[in-house]
Amino acid sequence: MANPNNYTVNLFVPCCMDLYFPQGVSSLLSIMESLGDVCYYNSDMTCCGREFFYKGEIEFAQQLSHKMIRYFDNNYPVVAPSSACIGFIKKHYKDLCATNSVPASVERLVQNSYELCDYIVNVKGKTCMDNVFKHRVFYFESCAARNVYHAENEAITLLENTEGLTLLTDPEMKLCCCGNGDFAMHNDELTQETLKRIIDRILPLNAEFITSTDLHCLQFIDAYLQEHDELKIKVAPIVEILCAKKTQQ
C-alpha cells in the first residue's frame, strides 16, 4: 500500500471509546503527535470483533477481523488505547483470519499491534510524558490486560512519572475482574457485587480517580459510581491522564 501522507502508525479507536469517551480521541492524537508519529485513521473501521466473539457470534467476529486486515496498512504499527481490544487481536486473529486473509498480513498485524502504554514505553522508549495530574489515582489492572494482552508495568511506569500524581495500587486486586461484557448482561447481580467489592477496597485509599488501560472496565466501574454518586470518585481513562498538562489542572 502506498503511503502518500507519510504516516507512521495506524490508529485504532475502539468502539467503546467512540461511545463512552469520544472526547478522548483528541487526547490520543495529541499523545501520538508528541511522540513524533503521524497517524493514519480509517473512519470506516468500527470494532475489532471482541464483543461478538465472546457472545459466540464467530462469523460476525471473523468479518470484522478481515475488515481490520484490509483497512490498515500492516507495514506500520497499530496502536489503540485498549488492552482488551489489542489483547483480543493478538490472541484470536490468527485463527479468525486463517481462511480468508493472507497469513503474512495477519502475522504482521498481530505482531505490530500495541496497547498505547506499551507502545510509548517499549517502542518509543519513553517513560515520562511530561504530563501533570495532581490527584490521587488508583490504577485498576484489568484481567484482559494481565491475562490476554500480558501487559507488564508500562502503565504504572507512566503514572509514576506523572507530575503531581499519587499512584495507588492494591496487589490483591489482581484477583478481581470488573465483570464487563456478556458476563454482565447475564449476571447482573453478581456483576454489581463484584463492582461493589472493587470500590470497597479502593475507598479507604481516598482515591479521587480510577484509571485503567481497559476502557471496557472503566465503563462498567463508571456506571456503578454514577449509581452511587455519594462515593465522590471519578474514572479517568489513562489516555486523558497522559495528555494532561499544567494548563489543564
Side-chain angles (χ1 to χ4, degrees), residues 15-36:
C15 51
C16 59
M17 184 174 227
D18 276 337
L19 295 171
Y20 162 61
F21 189 62
Q23 64 270 35
V25 178
S26 61
S27 297
L28 178 59
L29 285 170
S30 295
I31 289 172
M32 300 308 294
E33 290 171 359
S34 74
L35 296 171

Side-chain angles (χ1 to χ4, degrees), residues 124-185:
K124 304 301 287 189
K126 289 181 67 71
T127 58
C128 178
M129 293 299 294
D130 298 321
N131 55 318
V132 181
F133 197 75
K134 298 179 180 179
H135 300 282
R136 295 175 62 83
V137 179
F138 184 88
Y139 173 63
F140 181 79
E141 182 184 41
S142 73
C143 49
R146 183 172 60 253
N147 300 325
V148 183
Y149 186 79
H150 301 296
E152 296 186 358
N153 293 316
E154 296 87 1
I156 287 177
T157 295
L158 292 169
L159 292 171
E160 286 178 335
N161 291 331
T162 295
E163 182 180 336
L165 186 148
T166 300
L167 179 61
L168 308 171
T169 59
D170 181 348
E172 293 191 21
M173 291 280 277
K174 288 183 177 292
L175 302 176
C176 293
C177 175
C178 67
N180 72 78
D182 199 47
F183 177 87
M185 295 293 292

